[in-house]
mmCIF file of all heavy atoms in Angstrom:
data_model
loop_
_atom_site.group_PDB
_atom_site.id
_atom_site.type_symbol
_atom_site.label_atom_id
_atom_site.label_comp_id
_atom_site.label_asym_id
_atom_site.label_seq_id
_atom_site.Cartn_x
_atom_site.Cartn_y
_atom_site.Cartn_z
ATOM 1 N N ARG L 152 35.284 71.677 154.969
ATOM 2 C CA ARG L 152 35.497 71.474 153.538
ATOM 3 C C ARG L 152 34.397 72.159 152.730
ATOM 4 O O ARG L 152 34.500 72.310 151.528
ATOM 5 C CB ARG L 152 35.574 69.981 153.229
ATOM 6 C CG ARG L 152 36.883 69.382 153.745
ATOM 7 C CD ARG L 152 37.028 67.913 153.444
ATOM 8 N NE ARG L 152 36.011 67.134 154.148
ATOM 9 C CZ ARG L 152 35.069 66.442 153.539
ATOM 10 N NH1 ARG L 152 34.982 66.453 152.235
ATOM 11 N NH2 ARG L 152 34.194 65.751 154.242
ATOM 12 N N MET L 153 33.326 72.556 153.448
ATOM 13 C CA MET L 153 32.275 73.368 152.837
ATOM 14 C C MET L 153 31.782 74.358 153.874
ATOM 15 O O MET L 153 31.598 74.005 155.047
ATOM 16 C CB MET L 153 31.117 72.513 152.343
ATOM 17 C CG MET L 153 30.018 73.330 151.688
ATOM 18 S SD MET L 153 28.732 72.337 150.903
ATOM 19 C CE MET L 153 27.774 73.658 150.132
ATOM 20 N N LEU L 154 31.559 75.602 153.444
ATOM 21 C CA LEU L 154 31.130 76.663 154.351
ATOM 22 C C LEU L 154 29.796 77.210 153.881
ATOM 23 O O LEU L 154 29.627 77.571 152.712
ATOM 24 C CB LEU L 154 32.175 77.774 154.370
ATOM 25 C CG LEU L 154 31.944 78.938 155.338
ATOM 26 C CD1 LEU L 154 31.971 78.452 156.784
ATOM 27 C CD2 LEU L 154 33.000 80.018 155.121
ATOM 28 N N LEU L 155 28.828 77.286 154.805
ATOM 29 C CA LEU L 155 27.518 77.877 154.543
ATOM 30 C C LEU L 155 27.449 79.220 155.249
ATOM 31 O O LEU L 155 27.642 79.299 156.470
ATOM 32 C CB LEU L 155 26.392 76.969 155.052
ATOM 33 C CG LEU L 155 25.988 75.775 154.179
ATOM 34 C CD1 LEU L 155 27.139 74.795 154.011
ATOM 35 C CD2 LEU L 155 24.774 75.059 154.784
ATOM 36 N N LEU L 156 27.169 80.271 154.481
ATOM 37 C CA LEU L 156 27.132 81.634 155.011
ATOM 38 C C LEU L 156 25.747 82.227 154.774
ATOM 39 O O LEU L 156 25.309 82.332 153.625
ATOM 40 C CB LEU L 156 28.178 82.504 154.312
ATOM 41 C CG LEU L 156 29.650 82.124 154.496
ATOM 42 C CD1 LEU L 156 30.500 82.801 153.442
ATOM 43 C CD2 LEU L 156 30.110 82.517 155.889
ATOM 44 N N ASP L 157 25.084 82.649 155.847
ATOM 45 C CA ASP L 157 23.737 83.197 155.733
ATOM 46 C C ASP L 157 23.780 84.724 155.850
ATOM 47 O O ASP L 157 23.863 85.272 156.951
ATOM 48 C CB ASP L 157 22.841 82.607 156.819
ATOM 49 C CG ASP L 157 21.356 82.867 156.553
ATOM 50 O OD1 ASP L 157 21.033 83.641 155.619
ATOM 51 O OD2 ASP L 157 20.522 82.289 157.279
ATOM 52 N N GLU L 158 23.758 85.397 154.704
ATOM 53 C CA GLU L 158 23.766 86.861 154.600
ATOM 54 C C GLU L 158 24.851 87.495 155.480
ATOM 55 O O GLU L 158 24.555 88.284 156.387
ATOM 56 C CB GLU L 158 22.385 87.429 154.928
ATOM 57 C CG GLU L 158 21.315 86.971 153.943
ATOM 58 C CD GLU L 158 20.107 87.874 153.912
ATOM 59 O OE1 GLU L 158 20.282 89.102 153.870
ATOM 60 O OE2 GLU L 158 18.976 87.344 153.922
ATOM 61 N N PRO L 159 26.111 87.179 155.211
ATOM 62 C CA PRO L 159 27.188 87.679 156.079
ATOM 63 C C PRO L 159 27.426 89.184 155.988
ATOM 64 O O PRO L 159 28.119 89.740 156.851
ATOM 65 C CB PRO L 159 28.414 86.910 155.569
ATOM 66 C CG PRO L 159 28.100 86.610 154.139
ATOM 67 C CD PRO L 159 26.616 86.333 154.129
ATOM 68 N N THR L 160 26.879 89.854 154.970
ATOM 69 C CA THR L 160 27.102 91.302 154.847
ATOM 70 C C THR L 160 25.899 92.132 155.290
ATOM 71 O O THR L 160 25.942 93.360 155.211
ATOM 72 C CB THR L 160 27.445 91.676 153.390
ATOM 73 O OG1 THR L 160 26.325 91.373 152.541
ATOM 74 C CG2 THR L 160 28.657 90.911 152.893
ATOM 75 N N GLU L 161 24.861 91.480 155.795
ATOM 76 C CA GLU L 161 23.645 92.212 156.178
ATOM 77 C C GLU L 161 23.918 93.130 157.374
ATOM 78 O O GLU L 161 24.431 92.711 158.413
ATOM 79 C CB GLU L 161 22.525 91.236 156.539
ATOM 80 C CG GLU L 161 21.223 91.926 156.892
ATOM 81 C CD GLU L 161 20.143 90.954 157.350
ATOM 82 O OE1 GLU L 161 20.498 89.881 157.868
ATOM 83 O OE2 GLU L 161 18.954 91.270 157.178
ATOM 84 N N GLY L 162 23.576 94.412 157.226
ATOM 85 C CA GLY L 162 23.682 95.364 158.320
ATOM 86 C C GLY L 162 25.106 95.696 158.744
ATOM 87 O O GLY L 162 25.312 96.138 159.870
ATOM 88 N N ILE L 163 26.067 95.496 157.853
ATOM 89 C CA ILE L 163 27.473 95.712 158.184
ATOM 90 C C ILE L 163 27.963 96.991 157.502
ATOM 91 O O ILE L 163 27.586 97.293 156.367
ATOM 92 C CB ILE L 163 28.327 94.517 157.703
ATOM 93 C CG1 ILE L 163 27.836 93.223 158.360
ATOM 94 C CG2 ILE L 163 29.798 94.743 158.022
ATOM 95 C CD1 ILE L 163 27.938 93.200 159.844
ATOM 96 N N GLN L 164 28.836 97.722 158.185
ATOM 97 C CA GLN L 164 29.378 98.937 157.598
ATOM 98 C C GLN L 164 30.189 98.603 156.345
ATOM 99 O O GLN L 164 30.826 97.553 156.265
ATOM 100 C CB GLN L 164 30.238 99.702 158.617
ATOM 101 C CG GLN L 164 31.371 98.924 159.238
ATOM 102 C CD GLN L 164 30.985 98.269 160.546
ATOM 103 O OE1 GLN L 164 29.911 97.676 160.670
ATOM 104 N NE2 GLN L 164 31.868 98.366 161.536
ATOM 105 N N PRO L 165 30.163 99.507 155.339
ATOM 106 C CA PRO L 165 30.767 99.213 154.033
ATOM 107 C C PRO L 165 32.217 98.762 154.087
ATOM 108 O O PRO L 165 32.619 97.879 153.326
ATOM 109 C CB PRO L 165 30.619 100.539 153.277
ATOM 110 C CG PRO L 165 29.412 101.172 153.887
ATOM 111 C CD PRO L 165 29.451 100.795 155.338
#
Side-chain angles (χ1 to χ4, degrees):
R152 288 181 295 116
M153 181 173 186
L154 184 64
L155 280 62
L156 297 163
D157 194 351
E158 297 201 46
T160 63
E161 182 184 27
I163 301 298
Q164 56 267 44

